Amino acid sequence: MRVGFLSLLLGGLLTTATTASASNGQEGGLLSRTSKVGQTSYLYQVYVPARLQGKQNAPVILFLHGIGQRGTGGFLPTDGVQAGMLRHYLEQVPAIVVLPQCRKGSYWSDPVMDEMVMKSLEQTVSEFGADPERLYLTGVSMGGFGAWHLASEHPEKFAAIVSICGGSPLRDGDRFAPIARKVGKTPAWLFHGSADKVVPVSESRQMGEALKAIKGNVRYSEYEGVGHNVWLKALAEQELIPWLLKQHSHNAS
């Protein structure tokens, strides 16, 4: 799933590798930070590309991982060959990337996890002087469910939503229309594979239809015969990253 996430973010933007280094006294590269909820501290990771070090008003991509990456200590490795590859890939993303980690046995929709994620995002915006009108919410699988939860609980906070094989976090009643009404016209792009055996494709189909019913700003990409690893298809979507980064909180284009 880690490589899939990076493929999603890159969207075909790979260039020559660069190494993050200090610029104007601001840290760069893969950083570890903590946020506190009650008496508990939670580690989250932030990646700051070299091109954005010392820059104000940078866009921020908040990424919610899937169920397999739950734990503590950060889900991206910090050393070794794989860490080097991940840093190379993340260096190409033209945005600061916030990477919280959901605790084992928890879900992104749990109140404590919700608060932890939003505090981590707010701290990142404050620390790096990021653009509060260009905050982008993305998630894969469990993270896709989490994206719809956060988007509906914090309406107008995010400039755009990208849900990869996600679905409605609601368990009872009409599971989609209430989410759609809260999300409103926030631009959203949904991805799902028709052969997904982990998260039924009906989850994204119904969410897309619910958004259309309220005349929301929604794009839907379904891939025939593709399973749960649909993020690999997102790599082929050359428009994804440009589309994402052009959205603003007050821009419904």
Side-chain angles (χ1 to χ4, degrees):
M1 208 286 293
R2 291 170 176 164
V3 175
F5 157 55
L6 295 169
S7 297
L8 163 64
L9 290 182
L10 289 174
L13 294 177
L14 279 175
T15 58
T16 303
T18 56
T19 301
S21 58
S23 174
N24 298 333
Q26 187 185 83
E27 290 183 272
L30 184 62
L31 311 173
S32 293
R33 296 289 188 265
T34 58
S35 60
K36 196 168 186 178
V37 178
Q39 298 302 310
T40 305
S41 294
Y42 297 87
L43 184 145
Y44 64 96
Q45 294 170 300
V46 180
Y47 195 90
V48 182
R51 75 182 83 178
L52 296 181
Q53 286 177 244
K55 301 289 181 65
Q56 296 293 303
N57 297 315
V60 175
I61 296 174
L62 171 63
F63 175 75
L64 305 181
H65 62 68
I67 200 166
Q69 284 68 50
R70 292 187 296 184
T72 57
F75 71 95
L76 290 189
T78 57
D79 52 34
V81 174
Q82 187 181 40
M85 293 176 63
L86 292 170
R87 292 183 191 205
H88 163 72
Y89 292 144
L90 281 169
E91 190 61 33
Q92 315 312 313
V93 181
I96 294 170
V97 182
V98 183
L99 303 144
Q101 186 171 27
C102 190
R103 288 288 171 93
K104 287 185 176 180
S106 297
Y107 295 89
W108 294 116
S109 56
D110 294 349
V112 172
M113 292 298 98
D114 179 313
E115 186 175 353
M116 177 272 290
V117 170
M118 297 309 293
K119 281 190 174 182
S120 301
L121 178 62
E122 290 165 9
Q123 287 178 188
T124 300
V125 172
S126 177
E127 178 180 356
F128 298 101
D131 188 346
E133 292 190 5
R134 290 194 294 164
L135 306 180
Y136 307 110
L137 176 58
T138 67
V140 171
S141 193
M142 184 186 81
F145 284 81
W148 291 118
H149 165 78
L150 288 176
S152 62
E153 289 298 310
H154 307 276
E156 301 183 2
K157 178 72 173 179
F158 300 99
I161 307 158
V162 176
S163 172
I164 313 299
C165 52
S168 172
L170 301 181
R171 296 183 179 181
D172 302 307
D174 186 342
R175 299 175 51 246
F176 300 94
I179 300 291
R181 285 194 294 269
K182 291 181 179 180
V183 170
K185 296 188 181 298
T186 301
W189 196 338
L190 289 64
F191 295 85
H192 220 114
S194 68
D196 193 329
K197 298 184 184 304
V198 178
V199 178
V201 67
S202 58
E203 288 289 317
S204 288
R205 288 176 180 172
Q206 292 183 76
M207 187 66 77
E209 290 302 316
L211 289 167
K212 289 178 182 177
I214 62 158
K215 302 187 185 306
N217 187 344
V218 59
R219 300 178 68 165
Y220 178 55
S221 296
E222 182 177 312
Y223 301 97
E224 184 66 29
V226 175
H228 197 55
N229 61 343
V230 68
W231 52 79
L232 298 175
K233 283 291 186 181
L235 177 61
E237 295 290 350
Q238 298 293 323
E239 296 180 21
L240 178 57
I241 293 298
W243 171 86
L244 185 67
L245 295 181
K246 80 174 183 179
Q247 308 300 334
H248 288 68
S249 293
H250 301 294
N251 173 20
S253 64

